[in-house]
Structure formats: structure tokens, C-alpha cells
Amino acid sequence: MSSDYSAVARKEREVRLENLKRAWFRFSRNKLAVAGLVIFVTIVTMASLAEYITPYPSHAGLYINFKEKYQPPNPNHILGTDMYGRDVFTRVVFGFRYALMMVGVVLGIVVPVGTVLGLLAGYYKGTLIDHVINGASEVFVAVPPLVLALAICSVLEPNVLNALLAITLMWWPWYTRMIYSVTSSLRNEPYVWAAKALGMRTTTILFKELLPNMLGPILTKATLDASWVIIIGASISFVGLGAQPPTPDLGTMLSEYCRYLPAYWWMTLGPLLGIVALVLSFNLMGDGFRDVFAGE
Amino acid sequence: MMVMQDDDDSSRGSEALLTVRNLKKYFRTSKGLVRAVDGVTFSMSTGETLALVGESGSGKTTTAHVIMGFYTPTEGLVMYKGINIGIPIEKRPLSLKREIQIVFQDPATSLNPKKTVKDILETAVKVYGEGVKLERFKTILELMSYVGLSEEHLFKRPTEIGGGEKQLVALARALAVNPAFIILDEPTSALDVSAQSKVLRTLLKIQRDRGVSYLLITHDLGVVRNIASRVIIMYLGKICEEASTDEFFGRPTHPYTQMLLSSIPAMTEEDERILPTRIESRGEIPSAINPPSGCRFHTRCPYAMEVCRKEEPPAFNVGGSSHIVNCWLHSSNTRV
């Protein structure tokens, strides 16, 4: 045995890198997933550099230039212009920001909260903790998600923040239920009993023993859910309960522009393509993650 | 014959490591009450290896799990070093948890499949205190080399190493908290024969170096012969026979014990001489929901008498230092 333990630490880093490479290899075998990743990275890059890469950054919000209104797609405006003469492409790129922010905020809250609640309920199955958490989640699950979100948005002031709140509230039970079912079956695995026998703290058992066995399903579900968050968010905006004009939200734009169908079809086409590209990229990546974890 | 078995366990309470008295564990199921363990009494002293032998369904694993605190006893007493430990594992103090460790039958499920050997051992080492990272590496490598694992296994996951090696990792993990008492729940039955001997040798080495006491749960009489100093035979939640390993193999007394031993295939002339052959194994172990009346073995016993069907046999001392048999055939001996 070596006496240089820092060499062991170095070896550990190498092994971690090696595992990442292997995971990437499995992901990359799924060409559609790679395509999804490329679309996603492109969209994220475009959204974060929107001010610099869009031809008319000022068109994102309130801007009026009636001279250029209703222009079909042309070299200056590749997705045409809208009824106020704003460049649709510019607005779609800014719209990605809202969509991505929505995904980030909703999943950023829902995944950790839902996971922790699911772990607790599953680990303490049959106790008060389980009944309280599952009782609460069943109430939320019983109401159709979109209806619940619309109810919240219509009671509160319609804006982006409340739309986020509504989606977050309706989403956490689904994570809790998934993690709950996995935890309640894994908690009787001998390695969990061994961990208890060793005297590990419950938090160690939950987060170091159980959680690593669920990362696959969590990441896959989160990715596939991201597309649903975008669709629900767009739906809320579409019926006028989410982001309000002139916010360049994809759903809001759809609801503003669809009134000009079919004559000015390009206005609707822009945000529609944006939503499709985002949703597609998440779904394709989700399938790729599923492959990565299935191969393990 | 002199009665050397003491009637009162408390008279030697100070030297007994583990005392189990009239332990009962019942489970309520949809089909009825399962009497998994139904009045088991035994004790263990420090440094010995006691084998709890029986078919599946005999209650041996349940007994072990009650001692671990995975279940609480329905009735009866479990004392460890004079302290009542009939409490769930969550309620036990850390100092007590560390003393009693368990090695499970199937290392494929007792090791977390998502963690490397190093991570598995590291979380166990951390129970003692976080310490410095490089110090932990030192401890982990020492544990691994002690149980005979090479450094190349350090960053492997359980799925990437052999069954015997996995079981050695499970052993090293138990040793990480420096226990005084280890329950071995069928430690070799999931392993290849070649891996079995390596694990058994390591177990013997640990006992020699550290004076660890073992409670060996098994149905493998070969393992019993190799490492146990005393044997208890269980049948349907009750003890049939208790003897030192030599007595057990030399003079098996309970008809059930004789049946178990005669079902071992004889490999050598010595085996031929030792193994009783008169009793043929017949029938299967009955359900613990509705156990037979009287002696639970009477449904399969070739010598069953009228009394066996009606009355449960008490323990009779049939000689040796503590050779005890719960069987009416030996009612001419002193009751324990």
C-alpha cells in the first residue's frame, strides 16, 4: 500500500473525471439527445447575450415604429415585424429569457423541495410526517394543474411572479410522490440498515445513501418537466394571466399576435418556433439522460 | 450427571456479553399472527462464536435483527453487557450502536450500488468523527489491507468487484467503527466456494486479533464446524438443542439435529462415521402462523410420541458442560 495519500486523492479526482467521460459517452450515443443539447446551449447563449446579438434590442419592450409594421420575413427582419413594427426575432430571443427564467425558478424550487419532502415522507413511511406530507400533496394533485395555476393567477394580480408561484405550487407534489415511492422501497435495503447500524445520522442516510440512488430519475424528470413548465407558463400568459404586454414573453406574444392570423402569420410563427425549439430540446435531452442512467 | 448449567443467568451477568431471555417476536400480518421467535433463551460470553442454525423460517434472522434493534421484542429481554437493548436502533446511543455491527448475507444489496468502495468506507469512518481527508484515506487503506483487499478496489463500485471482495468490504465497513460484537447473518451463503474460505479466514483473523464476538446466523453446517464454538439449533421460533460445536457434531441428540446432519452429503470416511444416517429428512418446515401444538417438530419427527403432540418439551441437560435438548425423548435427564 502506498504511503503517499495525496496520490490517492489525485487518483480519486481522475476516477471522477473518468466517470464523467463515460456518462458523456453514453449520452453522446443518442444523436437526438446531442441535437437537443446543441439546441439548448444555442438558446441559452442567445438568451444570455440577447442585447448584443439581436439586431434591434430596443424592440424587446415598448417600441413603436408604424412605418415598419406588418413586414413579412425579409433580410432585415428574418421573422418579420409585428403590429408596432417591432422585430419578431429580437422579441423571441428576449422571450427565451423569460422561458428559461421560469424553468430555472420553478425547477430550482420544486426539485429540492419536492425531493426533501419525498425523502422525509418515504423514510418515515406510516408516521405523522408521511401523512402530513402526502395529505398535502394529494390535495394539490387532486386539482387539475392548469386549473389550479389559473385560479391562483386570477385571484392574485396577473404578473410573471404570480405565474411562477402558481406553477411552483402545483408542481412540487409530483416530485414528492416520485421520490416518496422510490424512498419507501429503498429504505428497507440492507445498505440502509447497515448505515443505521453504523450509527450514521438520518441526514447522512437520506442525502448520502438514498439520494445518490435517485439522481437519475430526478434529472430525467426535471428535464422532461422543464418542457411542461414552458408550456404551462406560456398557457398562463396566453390567457392573459401571466406576463403582461409589452413583456416579450413567448406565451404573451402568442396571445397578442394570434389575433393577426392568418394574414400576418409570421408574427405567430416566431414565438411558436421558439416554444417548439425549447420544448423539443428539453425532451430530447431528457431521453439522453435516461440512457445515461439506464446504462449504469 | 452433575448439573453445571446455571439456573439463573444473572449469577454470571458480569461475564455474559449478550443475554437473551424468553425472547418473543410476533408479526401481525393479513394472514394472522406470525410467531417468528417464540420464547428463545440463550447467552453468549465475550470472544466466543455462537452459531444460530436453522432452516429458513426458523426465526434465526429475526432473533439477530431484534438484537440489532431493527425490530423491538414483543416480549422478553435482550441484555448487552448488562444493559437492556430491547429498543429500536434509532433510540440507541451512538456508543452502543458502534459496539454491535452486522454483516448481511448478500453483499450486493448491503453495499450501496452507487458508491465506490472508498465512499462506502469513508462514511463509516466518518461516524467516528470527520477528521482530515488524508487521515481518512490512511484509515480506509489500512482497513482494506487488513481484510485483504488491494488498493485497486478503492474506486470501484460494488457492481464492479467479486462477491467475496464485496463481503470483505462489508466486513471492513463494520470494522471501521471498531465493534466488540458482530452479527454475521449468513455471511458466506451468497458466495462462491473459493470466496467463502477467504471470508471465513478473514473472520477468524479478526476474532484472533481483536477478540470480537460473533453471533453466526447460518444454515451451512460446514461454516459452523469451521468457526463456531457453540451451536444453537432453532426450529419454528424455538430452540431445539444447544451444545458446544464438538458435542454438536459428535453427539447430535435432538431428532431434528440428527435430521439436519444426516442430510449433509458424506464426503470422507470420517464424515461417514460421524454423520447420523438413520433419519431421513421429510416434510417442510410448517408455517409460523399456526405452529403445531406441543413440540413443534412432532409433525416431522420419526419418534413422535403422544406427549409430543400435547405438551411442549422443556429443556433437558444431556451432559457435557451445557448440552441442552428440548425433547421428550430425553426426559430421563435433569431439567434445566
Side-chain angles (χ1 to χ4, degrees), chain B residues 49-65:
Chain B
T49 301
L50 174 65
L52 222 49
V53 179
E55 290 167 277
S56 41
S58 62
K60 54 193 196 306
T61 297
T62 309
T63 306
H65 286 189

Side-chain angles (χ1 to χ4, degrees), chain A residues 277-292:
Chain A
L278 260 179
V279 169
L280 191 69
S281 75
F282 279 121
N283 281 337
L284 294 178
M285 281 194 300
D287 288 342
F289 287 135
R290 197 179 288 156
D291 291 347
V292 169

